[in-house]
Amino acid sequence: MSHDQTSGTTLFAPLTAPLTGAISVPGDKSISHRAVLFAAMAEGTSRLSGVLDSQDVRSSIRAVRALGAEASLEEQSDGSLAGAVTGWGGRGPSQPDGPIDCGNSGTTARLLMGVLAPWDVRVELTGDDSLVRRPMRRITAPLMKMGARFEPEGRETLPITVCGSRRLRAIAYDAPMASAQLKTAVLLAGVYAEGTTVLREPSPSRNHTELMLPEFGVDTTAADRAASVTGPSLLKACEVRVPGDPSSAAFIVCAATMRSGSSVRVEGVSLNPARIGFVRTLERMGADVSVRRTGAAGKEPYGVISVRHTQNLHGCEVPAEKIASIVDEVPVLALVAAHARGVTVFREAGELRVKETDRLAAIVEGLGRLGVDAWVEGNDLVVEGQPGLRTPEGVSFDSKGDHRLAMTWALAGLCGTSPVEVENFASVEVSYPRFLLDIERLAR
Ligand code: S3P
């Protein structure tokens, strides 16, 4: 690997050794955001450990500090953050001095809307060039039904000012899309509303909020496509241990699947069923991958994912209702599909258009550079695999500032047959700053 500081491109040459051995990946990003935000909302001092140290989670930490929580999270020897967060509890958040910059983090911005809606504050939320293009009305619409206001009214994108109200109404809301960020924003606002707030979704999105809120003492229900909270309630401080991030593990697991001779164990990783759809997808492609539960952190199961290189992968069809369980893994799964025999179809993957960048377009473009046919039909992503795929000489990709694309295209070079260049690889800092170090350690 080499990095050209002047142009911002990184060169990824094929690995000279297979990936072997055991590794633990950094803390789960979704659970880390929730641990920080819920602890900030709570009465008392919560103890957090295993928290992901990445740009996105730092956006949440900065935000809760600006809103009056005390967060003393220190870097640990394993690179995670741990320490105490003392929340604002019944006092509510304080009016910050200026706008809150959520950086690249959609989770920070969207969850904060739900955090702030039940309080008499006016808080402007903004973000980087990518975040200010992402849709927000999906969050503001249900919160307005509950009685919150947003300025400018009806605006789709940040900057948006949350104008909270202490008299929110509980609602029953049918979400138009499966989105854990939307679900969480509504449930968090619902904690302070009188009565039961219910959120129904078209297919199951990740359920970390429903699993964590009861740990903070909130009366919560969780079902297959529905969740509820009963308020008014107050979060009480607790202890949260954050397991490893399956979305980061997916890059190691997919790399080992593609690189001949590899055999890897990822330990201490969340095995929450809503998050390991990528393991199920790889299994259906014929990959040699398995999971073993070894424990639970709170209500979150964790364990080991074992994987070996697989030569004869075949395409598969991922049904629409499973997309939410692989929503962050589709780019790297599409790269694996490019090596498989036959066609892989990801049904109804339109949500990928509104992630950190338009990931559907980026996947089609990037695979095209590898000489692989991939296209979008309606909202379906189709990849025509090429067993024995050889990397063309001199291929160059742009991460477009999207961390998951940066790692996907890095793997195209590391697990391919010729070096590739990735522009803006630095976006990896958003979720998995240690990605290259982990790959290098396993390839030693
Ligand atoms: C997240 C939910 C997902 C995911 C994002 C993190 C969360 O988005 O893509 O990276 O922590 O709730 P959705 O809101 O589309 O489910």
Side-chain angles (χ1 to χ4, degrees):
M1 264 138 324
S2 65
H3 187 237
D4 181 344
Q5 291 288 352
T6 45
S7 66
T9 52
T10 310
L11 189 70
F12 295 93
L15 294 168
T16 51
L19 300 169
T20 54
I23 195 149
S24 21
V25 285
D28 185 78
K29 183 157 80 70
S30 292
I31 300 176
S32 296
H33 279 298
R34 287 161 174 76
V36 168
L37 292 170
F38 297 5
M41 295 163 70
E43 188 79 47
T45 299
S46 296
R47 304 248 151 226
L48 314 185
S49 60
V51 173
L52 171 65
D53 188 3
S54 80
Q55 273 175 10
D56 258 22
V57 177
R58 285 195 176 261
S59 292
S60 282
I61 296 172
R62 260 197 322 274
V64 299
R65 283 185 179 138
L67 292 165
E70 250 175 69
S72 41
L73 295 167
E74 307 284 339
E75 200 177 324
Q76 308 296 299
S77 56
D78 63 358
S80 68
L81 297 174
V85 176
T86 305
W88 50 72
R91 239 183 23 253
S94 37
Q95 178 66 40
D97 295 335
I100 291 185
D101 184 350
C102 303
N104 190 248
S105 179
T107 310
T108 306
R110 290 174 171 152
L111 269 51
L112 274 180
M113 289 181 173
V115 170
L116 296 169
W119 300 100
D120 286 330
V121 284
R122 287 175 58 87
V123 182
E124 182 179 329
L125 302 177
T126 188
D128 71 5
D129 290 351
S130 153
L131 187 54
V132 298
R133 284 199 293 267
R134 298 182 65 187
M136 295 295 156
R137 222 181 276 145
R138 54 176 61 190
I139 313 292
T140 57
L143 294 179
M144 283 170 71
K145 284 187 197 292
M146 298 178 80
R149 284 191 316 105
F150 296 87
E151 286 176 2
E153 209 185 305
R155 197 180 145 99
E156 179 61 289
T157 54
L158 300 180
I160 290 174
T161 300
V162 186
C163 309
S165 157
R166 294 192 80 145
R167 287 178 301 279
L168 290 193
R169 294 179 285 280
I171 55 167
Y173 191 67
D174 287 299
M177 69 283 292
S179 160
Q181 294 173 351
L182 156 52
K183 174 170 63 181
T184 304
V186 171
L187 293 178
L188 291 183
V191 167
Y192 301 90
E194 178 83 44
T196 300
T197 293
V198 183
L199 189 296
R200 291 179 288 259
E201 48 188 357
S203 56
S205 67
R206 63 194 67 188
N207 59 353
H208 307 301
T209 297
E210 301 93 293
L211 295 184
M212 199 185 286
L213 278 179
E215 306 277 304
F216 281 90
V218 177
D219 182 1
T220 313
T221 69
D224 189 24
R225 284 156 208 240
S228 75
V229 292
T230 300
S233 181
L234 192 59
L235 280 72
K236 284 174 221 67
C238 72
E239 190 180 329
V240 183
R241 274 188 302 140
V242 181
D245 195 327
S247 298
S248 297
F251 289 95
I252 304 291
V253 171
C254 289
T257 300
M258 290 186 285
R259 175 60 170 82
S260 61
S262 296
S263 174
V264 171
R265 276 192 354 259
V266 186
E267 298 173 339
V269 62
S270 163
L271 296 180
N272 182 316
R275 296 293 303 285
I276 55 166
F278 74 95
V279 173
R280 305 295 166 229
T281 307
L282 289 171
E283 278 171 352
R284 296 180 61 205
M285 298 174 89
D288 185 351
V289 57
S290 60
V291 301
R292 185 169 52 87
R293 181 184 160 136
T294 55
K299 294 195 168 67
E300 295 279 353
Y302 65 80
V304 182
I305 304 180
S306 305
V307 56
R308 281 172 195 277
H309 165 65
T310 317
Q311 203 147 30
N312 296 314
L313 295 171
H314 48 79
C316 73
E317 180 168 326
V318 182
E321 65 272 17
K322 296 290 179 202
I323 291 297
S325 74
I326 55 167
V327 72
D328 294 330
E329 290 72 59
V330 173
V332 71
L333 288 171
L335 180 65
V336 176
H339 291 80
R341 180 169 30 84
V343 167
T344 297
V345 187
F346 299 91
R347 295 275 177 223
E348 291 302 323
E351 271 296 299
L352 271 83
R353 291 201 176 94
V354 290
K355 292 295 175 185
E356 284 77 337
T357 186
D358 178 346
R359 287 184 180 159
L360 284 189
I363 291 167
V364 169
E365 185 191 320
L367 292 184
R369 288 177 189 216
L370 290 172
V372 173
D373 270 338
W375 62 93
V376 177
E377 277 173 21
N379 287 321
D380 297 349
L381 171 66
V382 188
V383 179
E384 200 171 297
Q386 278 184 39
L389 174 68
R390 304 212 40 94
T391 321
E393 297 286 323
V395 176
S396 170
F397 299 98
D398 187 348
S399 80
K400 301 176 196 283
D402 183 320
H403 52 128
R404 312 261 183 227
L405 293 175
M407 291 185 274
T408 298
W409 303 136
L411 290 188
L414 295 165
C415 303
T417 55
S418 295
V420 307
E421 274 182 0
V422 181
E423 189 102 13
N424 294 316
F425 179 72
S427 56
V428 70
E429 296 287 327
V430 161
S431 64
Y432 193 178
R434 219 172 69 194
F435 167 70
L436 276 187
L437 287 177
D438 282 356
I439 291 274
E440 277 168 0
R441 203 160 73 67
L442 291 169
R444 220 176 277 147

